[in-house]
Structure formats: structure tokens, C-alpha cells
Amino acid sequence: VQLQASGGGLVQAGGSLRLSCAASGSAASTYAMGWVRQAPGKERESVAAISWSGANTYYPDSVKGRFTISRDNAKNTVYLQMNSLKPEDTAVYYCAARQDYMPSYYYTEPYEYDYWGQGTLVTVSS
């Protein structure tokens, strides 16, 4: 599967952005998906995950209540709505995927994903 992320940019603290990740390839809708970010000098951090059915999601405490992951399997696209952005959210955001035929599974660690998009930069100014 190929992944193409978009939607990053510069936003002021407190603002919002929506990232999109378009997946192409066979059976793209049967992939559990996630968003992983990497800030300069830091390790990759999973910020959201969703099962291929869309029924199950995961957020770490750092973004819970501010970020929302969703997917449209008809369009093979996953979204990350980011609200109340903080300067510490500044990072390159990657979408990632792993095929899983269990509709409720998602993955919470970056190393669990097999496919990666190219990344989109989100910069939050104070």
C-alpha cells in the first residue's frame, strides 16, 4: 500500500489543522492506520490509531481530547483533526499502516507499522 499525507502547515497556538492520508493499493481499506509524529531531536511518537473498521481508536494522553482520527474507507483516506494545538505539537506527522484482517485491531507503537507515508510538517507558533 502507498500512503500520501497532506494538510500540514503553520498555525498559531490554539488553532486547528486537519491532516489527510490517502492510501492506494490492493485492499487498502483492510489496513489499521495511525499517525506518528517526530519532533526535532525526539523519537517517533504515536498520536492516534484506528482499526480498519473505524470502530476502535487510540490516543495517548498528550493529545487525548484534542486530536481525533477518522477514516473513510470508500475514499481510502484517514484523517487527523487536530484542535487546540500547542507549540509542543510541532513535528513532522507521518501516516502509517499495517494490514490486519481483524476489524477491531489498532497499533499503538511506531515499530508495529509496516508502511509509511512521506510526512507532513506541522508548525505551531506561540
Side-chain angles (χ1 to χ4, degrees), residues 5 13 33 45 51-52 58 68 81 86 93-94 104 111 122:
M33 302 287 292
E45 172 193 20
S51 60
W52 72 251
Y58 158 81
T68 302
Q81 179 67 43
K86 304 176 181 179
Y93 284 71
Y94 300 89
S104 62
Y111 71 83
V122 172

Side-chain angles (χ1 to χ4, degrees), residues 1 13 28 45 64 79-80 84 89 93 95-97 102 110 114-115 120:
V1 66
E45 172 193 20
K64 195 173 293 182
Y79 305 97
L80 184 67
S84 302
D89 294 319
Y93 284 71
C95 61
M102 298 299 292
D114 298 319
Y115 301 94
T120 185

Side-chain angles (χ1 to χ4, degrees), residues 26-83:
S26 61
S29 61
T30 61
Y31 284 74
M33 302 287 292
W35 289 94
V36 175
R37 70 185 179 189
Q38 187 167 25
K42 295 188 177 181
E43 294 186 354
R44 289 190 174 187
E45 172 193 20
S46 179
V47 297
I50 189 167
S51 60
W52 72 251
S53 70
N56 301 88
T57 58
Y58 158 81
Y59 307 95
D61 289 343
S62 58
V63 306
K64 195 173 293 182
R66 301 189 298 121
F67 289 12
T68 302
I69 189 170
S70 61
R71 66 189 298 159
D72 183 339
N73 284 344
K75 296 181 179 179
N76 288 336
T77 301
V78 174
Y79 305 97
L80 184 67
Q81 179 67 43
M82 305 185 293
N83 298 330

